[in-house]
Amino acid sequence: MSITDQISAIQRLVMAQQFDAALTEVSALTRMAGNDPSTLALHAHILRRLGRANDAIELLARVIRLNDRIPNAWLELARCHQMLQNLVAAREAVRSAIALQPDSSAAHALAFDIAELQGDLETADSAFQQLLRIDSRAIERRLALGNQSFDRGDFDRAAWHFAAFVKHAPSRVDGYLNLAAAQAQLGALQHASETLKLGIRKSPNDARLLARLCELDEGVGETPADRIANCQALLQLEPGHEQGRFLLACAHLAAFEFEAARRELDALLATAALPWPALWVRAHYPANPVYPDIPATLAYRAELKAMITQLETDLADGRIDAALAARMLASCPNYFLGYLNDLDLTLPVGYAAALRKLALQSGLRDAEPSTTRQAGEPVRKRVVIVSAHLWRHSVSRVWRDLLCALPRDEFELRLADLTGTEDDSTQLWRSRADHWETGSRSVEAWRDWIAAQHADVIVYPDIGMEPITQALACVRLAPIQVTTWGHPVSTGQSCIDFFLGSNLAEPEGAEKHYSERLVRIAGLAASYRLVPPEWLGFAPPKQRTRLVCLQNAFKLMPEQDDAFVRILDGIPDAELYLLASSHGQALQSIETRLRQRLTPEQNTRLFVLGFLDYPDYHALLGSADLALDSWGWSGGLTSLDALCLGVPVRRCRAN
């Protein structure tokens, strides 16, 4: 048998993955034809495949001494050095292979791999360009490499691969989807959104791109109108897309279009096999949060009770898995429960009990009791403050200066900022904090970080105002857990021990209104100071006695309408400004409800305003003669603002 025939036989063994047999045959052939470069190169290849790269390099050195013009010898040498992580030597060897055979796709592919391993992504991209010039099918390799990087959690490298794939295959939808997924994992949500929009421009009728864009829209701060438009475009392509309809309902809620949201949620509930999360969201948002009459408030209370009962049943029956429970927890808070002005604890306690079961089903757990501290740490009380409103928000205005004034030698402050919003208020918090943690994270990720702090006390200033703090408050992460009047109603939570209130604001016997232990702090229990406007605001010319009501539309229950009617009737020269702090359906509803009760002449003296810029709010309030408070859920900082500007505040009584 000739050498050529023997080499062919050995190559067949290699192709069959029979490397040990191939090594036996090639070793014998090498002894017989030791100076044949083809035999030596084949021998080296088999040694490398068996993991003996150093032995292979010795043989390849012999091959190159015999004939340095064999491209495959240099290519095999590069692979051996790559296996041994000798990347500089590997790079030099592959350059020699390319110089001898410029159109070798294998050589350019190896040059790409080596440059990537070295972190020289610019050279890697150049090598890939050459590879594509030779073999257009190589683009699939970038997609596969991107998927491999994604699967092992290397999202930076995955994004690099997918970006190259999108560049060279702009008509492929999977490239845009994968690139956006990698960007989202990196926290670059805005970039992910732009990637999807680029894909939609290339493939406007692909529902997958629109569906992913709709999921990202809220996270990147798209306007409610744009969110609605994107969801509607998705539903035009796929009318039965349940997630698209759910996201459309959420977008309507963001636009204060509560009735439109109800229609979408009802349509979803009519066809979905499982009512969650649609029923969960539906029950958290009344059809009209500005209740037209007292029966409407009673009807919404009944809806909440029915949802809680259904939730308890489905949790007990195992119909809600961990992923669905986590999704529900992160979707919405019980914001409107407090606005029912119901002092009976039955509903909030029942809601909180069901919420804790949902949290446990999602995988949240109480922290193990621990007093572990790092060696050498000062013995100070560790207070962790968890909030989504550390920016210039009323919650921050109430508590920031009080908590920041805790003595440093006695209290260590660690802050969990759930939003990442930066302004002058967060800078003040940062200046006092011993540790500041922020970022976009899941409920579970925040739970793990908080538990790892081994806090003595956790303060949740705003339970009920956004979903993450509400979910975290369901579990025990510190020996003492406290809330206060960011949302000034009882949480009903069994894991919240104290409610910090004011002895000036709480009437005698108020303890029965709280599931928590009420702590009456002397004075206002607020670090109030009037914030001066950044520019001079506008107030309408004043021609009459000016009355203002500063409370948002959700606080103005139907029971109060009679008081407004009697005031305008009893003070003929008075004008009433309602600063309803609302827009859309809510603003229209409160105005319609009130104007229906007034005479035509009285209607000329009623002015219902939505959200105002702070300077305009400041100017209008300063021009008032009297501020009218709401009952039930009264004013807080707005009332203090009025008093500070010399405007007396009068509470309207139902009788």
Side-chain angles (χ1 to χ4, degrees):
M1 183 183 295
S2 67
I3 291 177
T4 302
D5 291 340
Q6 291 183 69
I7 288 175
S8 297
I10 294 168
Q11 287 173 335
R12 286 193 291 273
L13 290 172
V14 171
M15 292 177 65
Q17 306 287 307
Q18 298 178 25
F19 296 116
D20 289 330
L23 180 60
T24 299
E25 296 296 326
V26 80
S27 298
L29 184 58
T30 299
R31 289 192 295 271
M32 182 181 71
N35 290 325
D36 178 61
S38 298
T39 300
L40 292 172
L42 179 58
H43 195 165
H45 174 76
I46 294 168
L47 287 170
R48 179 180 65 81
R49 297 293 294 272
L50 287 168
R52 294 168 57 182
N54 283 316
D55 294 337
I57 288 172
E58 291 182 11
L59 284 179
L60 290 167
R62 286 174 58 187
V63 173
I64 291 169
R65 284 196 299 271
L66 291 168
N67 184 354
D68 63 0
R69 306 292 295 173
I70 302 176
N72 283 343
W74 289 105
L75 194 59
E76 192 63 45
L77 181 62
R79 289 176 175 139
C80 290
H81 283 304
Q82 181 192 23
M83 178 180 287
L84 297 171
Q85 295 297 305
N86 299 328
L87 299 182
V88 174
R91 191 165 182 169
E92 290 301 320
V94 81
R95 282 175 177 168
S96 296
I98 291 172
L100 292 168
Q101 194 174 4
D103 289 337
S104 169
S105 60
H108 287 293
L110 186 56
F112 167 79
D113 290 340
I114 294 167
E116 183 188 2
L117 288 171
Q118 289 182 305
D120 186 352
L121 302 187
E122 183 177 350
T123 299
D125 278 332
S126 177
F128 189 72
Q129 292 269 20
Q130 294 300 319
L131 176 59
L132 276 181
R133 179 181 58 81
I134 300 163
D135 183 4
S136 61
R137 297 170 299 175
I139 191 62
E140 300 297 334
R141 191 162 184 266
R142 291 304 289 270
L143 185 62
L145 290 170
N147 286 327
Q148 291 169 15
S149 298
F150 193 96
D151 290 343
R152 65 172 180 267
D154 188 352
F155 303 116
D156 273 312
R157 190 54 54 87
W160 176 64
H161 284 302
F162 292 140
F165 183 84
V166 166
K167 177 181 177 181
H168 296 291
S171 63
R172 291 278 297 273
V173 169
D174 47 352
Y176 297 101
L177 289 168
N178 289 338
L179 176 56
Q183 291 167 328
Q185 288 291 338
L186 292 168
L189 299 184
Q190 191 64 53
H191 287 139
S193 177
E194 293 302 322
T195 294
L196 292 166
K197 290 176 182 176
L198 179 61
I200 290 168
R201 287 196 290 271
K202 299 286 186 180
S203 303
N205 294 322
D206 194 287
R208 294 171 297 169
L209 291 167
L210 271 168
R212 187 68 184 113
L213 181 65
C214 292
E215 291 171 357
L216 284 179
D217 274 348
E218 181 179 6
V220 300
E222 289 286 3
T223 65
D226 286 341
R227 290 168 58 189
I228 290 170
N230 289 335
C231 291
Q232 288 174 338
L234 171 60
L235 291 171
Q236 284 181 349
L237 293 174
E238 286 192 18
H241 199 291
E242 291 187 359
Q243 177 67 354
R245 194 165 298 282
F246 177 75
L247 292 172
L248 176 57
C250 293
H252 280 305
L253 290 172
F256 280 57
E257 297 170 356
F258 294 89
E259 291 178 353
R262 277 284 177 113
R263 287 195 297 271
E264 299 300 337
L265 291 169
D266 287 344
L268 191 56
L269 287 167
T271 58
L274 193 64
W276 314 103
L279 182 58
W280 174 259
V281 173
R282 187 185 189 280
H284 281 77
Y285 294 91
N288 186 348
V290 180
Y291 303 106
D293 48 38
I294 294 173
T297 66
L298 298 175
Y300 179 56
R301 187 179 287 111
E303 284 183 17
L304 272 171
K305 290 180 178 178
M307 183 277 292
I308 293 168
T309 300
Q310 183 70 48
L311 178 63
E312 296 264 14
T313 299
D314 285 356
L315 283 168
D317 292 345
R319 300 187 70 203
I320 299 175
D321 62 20
L324 178 56
R327 184 179 169 200
M328 291 165 62
L329 278 178
S331 63
C332 54
N334 64 342
Y335 182 79
F336 288 100
L337 175 57
Y339 285 106
L340 287 171
N341 279 334
D342 189 351
L343 298 179
D344 183 0
L345 287 176
T346 303
L347 185 55
V349 168
Y351 175 91
L355 188 70
R356 175 167 167 84
K357 292 177 183 177
L358 188 68
L360 295 175
Q361 177 62 21
S362 77
L364 294 185
R365 291 292 180 268
D366 297 332
E368 293 294 328
S370 173
T371 58
T372 302
R373 295 285 177 85
Q374 298 296 320
E377 283 189 299
V379 181
R380 297 184 291 167
K381 291 295 182 183
R382 181 172 293 169
V383 179
V384 174
I385 301 168
V386 183
S387 176
H389 298 92
L390 298 176
W391 46 281
R392 194 190 300 177
H393 185 278
S394 57
V395 169
S396 187
R397 286 182 64 193
V398 169
W399 284 101
R400 183 189 61 228
D401 293 351
L402 284 177
L403 292 170
C404 286
L406 291 173
R408 286 182 181 271
D409 59 343
E410 297 181 40
F411 295 94
E412 175 189 356
L413 256 59
R414 300 192 173 196
L415 274 81
D417 172 22
L418 306 187
T419 65
T421 302
E422 291 285 346
D423 62 11
D424 54 348
S425 177
T426 53
Q427 288 303 314
L428 289 171
W429 282 107
R430 280 181 179 272
S431 68
R432 171 58 180 90
D434 294 273
H435 182 86
W436 181 275
E437 195 76 13
T438 189
S440 177
R441 304 183 188 181
S442 66
V443 175
E444 185 176 8
W446 276 117
R447 179 265 171 214
D448 292 344
W449 181 84
I450 295 168
Q453 306 313 300
H454 304 294
D456 297 299
V457 179
I458 297 176
V459 179
Y460 295 105
D462 45 14
I463 296 174
M465 294 184 66
E466 61 82 46
I468 294 180
T469 47
Q470 176 176 282
L472 292 170
C474 290
V475 290
R476 171 71 61 182
L477 302 178
I480 298 174
Q481 302 191 153
V482 176
T483 191
T484 183
W485 60 284
H487 208 46
V489 290
S490 175
T491 66
Q493 297 278 15
S494 61
C495 291
I496 299 299
D497 307 297
F498 298 97
F499 187 101
L500 305 182
S502 161
N503 68 339
L504 297 178
E506 297 291 351
E508 184 179 350
E511 288 79 5
K512 65 178 180 292
H513 303 155
Y514 295 93
S515 63
E516 307 86 358
R517 179 180 174 185
L518 176 62
V519 178
R520 297 170 181 267
I521 298 175
L524 289 174
S527 55
Y528 172 79
R529 54 182 171 182
L530 183 67
V531 178
E534 296 177 355
W535 66 87
L536 186 63
F538 170 77
K542 183 176 174 183
Q543 298 176 344
R544 300 184 175 100
T545 300
R546 179 164 291 172
L547 311 178
V548 296
C549 179
L550 306 171
Q551 308 316 314
N552 74 44
F554 306 144
K555 294 184 181 181
L556 301 178
M557 305 300 284
E559 298 95 317
Q560 187 157 351
D561 294 356
D562 282 340
F564 290 134
V565 173
R566 291 199 309 273
I567 288 169
L568 288 174
D569 187 48
I571 311 177
D573 70 332
E575 59 183 13
L576 174 59
Y577 279 81
L578 258 60
L579 279 63
S581 299
S582 303
H583 55 75
Q585 179 188 346
L587 183 63
Q588 181 181 359
S589 295
I590 188 64
E591 183 166 12
T592 300
R593 195 182 79 195
L594 284 172
R595 291 197 183 281
Q596 287 174 344
R597 301 291 307 279
L598 300 176
T599 67
E601 187 279 329
Q602 289 170 337
N603 269 308
T604 66
R605 296 185 280 128
L606 174 67
F607 304 90
V608 181
L609 306 180
F611 289 103
L612 296 181
D613 289 332
Y614 183 75
D616 293 340
Y617 155 81
H618 191 277
L620 181 60
L621 177 54
S623 72
D625 297 297
L626 180 69
L628 303 177
D629 200 6
S630 54
W631 63 63
W633 191 313
S634 61
L637 288 181
T638 52
S639 296
L640 296 179
D641 286 344
L643 295 172
C644 194
L645 289 172
V647 180
V649 179
R650 175 72 179 177
R651 182 183 177 219
C652 304
R653 294 188 178 274
N655 58 359

